Amino acid sequence: MQLLLIRESESRIISRLFVFEFFQGAAIALYFLAAITIFVDHLPPSDLPKVFILSAFLLWLFGFIYNKLEHRLLTKQLIYFVLIFNGACILLFRTFIHLETETWFLYLFLASFNILYLLNNLEFWGLVAILFDVRQGKRLFAIVSAWDGPARVMGYILSILLGATIGTENLLWISAFFMLFSILLFMPLAKSDELKDIAPKDHHHYATQSLQHLQAAVTANKLIRNAAFVSFFSFCFYLVTNYVLYGYVKKQFHSDIALGRFFAVFLIVSRTLALIIKPLFVNRLLDNLGIRKSLLVAPIVLLILSAIAIFFSEKLIVPLHLFLVMAIVVDILRSAIQSPVLLTTLQPLPVHQRLKGHTIIKGLMDPFAFLSVGVLLIAIPSADNEVNLTLLSIILLAITVFWIFFALSVDSNYIQTLSAAIRRRLLDERDISVTDNDSLNFLFKKIESGTEDEALTIIQLLSAQTISHEKCYLAGLRHPSVRVKQLTIGYIRSQHYTALLPELKKMLQAPDVQVYLPQLLRSITALDHTEDISSYLTHENHEVSNAVAMGFLTYDHHAQKGKAYNHIQNLFASSEHRHLMSGLEIVGELKIHEFSDDVANLIAHENEKIKANAFLVAGKLGNANMLDKLLNEYGLSNKDKSILKALEIAGEKAVEPIRHFIQTRNPGKTKRYQLYILLGKIGGDAAAGLLQQCLQQFPADEYNVLSILYQPQFVAPANGYEYTLLLKKNMENASKHLLALDTLKQYNHTYQLLIRALELELMNIRDKCLFIFSFLYDREKIRKSKIGFELNTKESNANAFELIDMVVPKEFSVPFMLIFEQGDPSYKSMQVNKFFKTAPVTASSLINDILKDENYQYNEWTKACCLYGLKSQGDRLDITLVEPYSKSDNPILKETAIAVLEDIETSNT
């Protein structure tokens, strides 16, 4: 089902990520197999603890380096660095493999696997965190990570097939090829818009924060601290068992080929079993056993095996086989059960703490475990490189005891954290999943015994979970709070829980029933169509009678539907305002078209509250005649907001009435703009068609209409001919403005205000061109370029022009960049004149052109600036051009024109 939720664009990115991670995973698997095989073949197992210690320090070092680089490099640069570094490391070790007899070389060879694995995890999950947001991550992260296991298995299979033929050390060539091939696979991702100029610090995923920050997270939160210790002890157990296992297999296999085959089979078995167990059993195990028992599965099983190993420690064959079993079991249970369950326990934490907790559990504790186990194993006495199985078995038993202790602590801390999150109302049902029985039982009890706010939070949380809600809602009905009962009754009705119908009917006799009686009766009628509660239609509380009527009318074939209709007719026939409001409430909520005439009559009601509600109900019904009546009221009263809201509710049904209104009533510019905004909210082809019609009918509204069309996912007609013509017209106007600016700047400070107005006109035209570009070409790239212009930094403007040059044909991109890039107006005007021939202009002709504005080239602020500048230049002023603006709808332009006319009159007298 999860795959069905993936959008086409997401599917394309995910498929690329699959292949990208698959080759990296296979490369690292082949590297590890070659490294461990050659190491075990050449050195005794007693040297392995030294590699553990070296690994710990290398992990800390490279984690620190990565942390510094991710704050200095762009994301794609950082990923290229990691891929090249990992590939170069593999090639370097293959080139110098002749040093395999040198101890230091083998130490570094094997320890470097942990570096490659760390860097691979950091760069890949950092990339995923940038490509997908939090909401997408909830759906997609599990899918994205699904190929890690198969990639490793494929690497191990290749080693079996090719190891004997080409030699173990030559597997490194294949590993290096896979890693470097990943660079080619990353190139399409690097060119994606999401990674353009994005640094990891802009999308921090808490992967490599400083030790001080993570230490603070561990010490400040008991749940994270104890979960970290569970992860620590489980990894310690894993390292000790592998230490014993490597010593055992060294004695059994006497060539690197045989060793390589054993390790490959061993890893294939453990990885395959983990891949099978994780999706099939983890959720069921968690739901049935709860968090505590799920966390205890691994340590208890291993505790038993450790005890058996101690008992049979003198008979070497049995313990060594047991260690083989334990190595497989701990690997499977850690990855398939413990890790998912631990991450589940962190869900009640705030997001930033949860992310830090993930980082600590999934990686931070590994170097500590390497160091601790390495020191411990070196300290254990051994004779002739023989491991002390009895002592090691006792150590493993002790580790499992600590493991169990901290697992129990995690469960206790989880409940405490969940309680605290409920009290503080920090839980979001979209971000947390609660399905295990222990947590559910705790929450059910909390509903009954908790405060009103706690009960409300829990019920809202559990109502969104994929569980049986019967116990939850039963506890909610028994809570003393009326608000909790009302919320619960609403959920029972909406989710149609008929099993709780007897409990609802019992509540009719409750002493406090009057407070929530409306909700209760409506739910009973919704769940039981045969229940006759028509006597409540005459209840003195009109909320009760309305609820009963709505309950009857919710279902078409309800036996009491006729009585409900009669009740509504009586409400509309009444002269009491509260009855009329009740009738509107019922008709509006249920959209009962049979009462459209009654609603239409109330549109002109004398009571403003009834009138406003009638507007909204008319919008819900979407009747064309009523919508016409609404528009007849538009602009004539102070109810324009209610009318626009009602039209928005009507949606596409309102488009034709709006079209008729605009064509017949010719509303003013301000009223038209409000209708354009409304059409943008409605969206759809019909609304877009009307906006395009208005673009032709009202040239003065060009900017407003284009800006609205830019908002929804609007696409121009197939040839886009009208928009191409509009684009040319705007660029011609921009070239005229450039020439005008060059002319006006020759007059020093005389026309400073008008110069500024023309500069704003150019910005206005630039935006209109961007709007049209988005209709005709790559919408997303144009949108990004517009954002770049709005940021208005040197770098963002350069990137914006680069995007325009990429997606817009040269016919328009070249003049666009000439006009709007920073530069001298004289030079730009001369260059643009090659594309758009512009006649010379004088200051007087420009002023006349602005005030006449026959082609709707200028905004009203430019005309106002022009008039204001002419106050001191009466000799250039044509009074016939000023007088029309004294009656303008625009208050600034109107006041400026009146002031100019008054000055002229004063000067004449």
Side-chain angles (χ1 to χ4, degrees), residues 454-475:
E454 289 175 343
L456 290 171
T457 301
I458 295 171
I459 292 171
Q460 289 171 342
L461 169 66
L462 294 182
S463 66
Q465 307 298 317
T466 54
I467 59 171
S468 173
H469 299 98
E470 189 171 330
K471 290 183 180 180
C472 169
Y473 295 153
L474 190 60

Side-chain angles (χ1 to χ4, degrees), residues 679-698:
L679 290 169
K681 291 178 179 178
I682 292 172
D685 293 340
L690 178 52
L691 286 168
Q692 292 176 73
Q693 182 181 325
C694 292
L695 194 61
Q696 303 296 325
Q697 187 176 348
F698 303 103

Side-chain angles (χ1 to χ4, degrees), residues 221-228 345-346 348-349 409-410 413-414 417:
N221 189 283
K222 291 182 179 179
L223 175 58
I224 294 177
R225 180 173 67 245
N226 291 327
T345 64
L346 302 182
L349 293 172
S409 300
V410 165
N413 298 145
Y414 169 74
T417 305

Side-chain angles (χ1 to χ4, degrees), residues 186-200:
F186 177 65
M187 287 180 179
L189 288 169
K191 294 176 182 178
S192 66
D193 294 333
E194 290 82 357
L195 289 183
K196 186 176 179 60
D197 300 332
I198 298 294

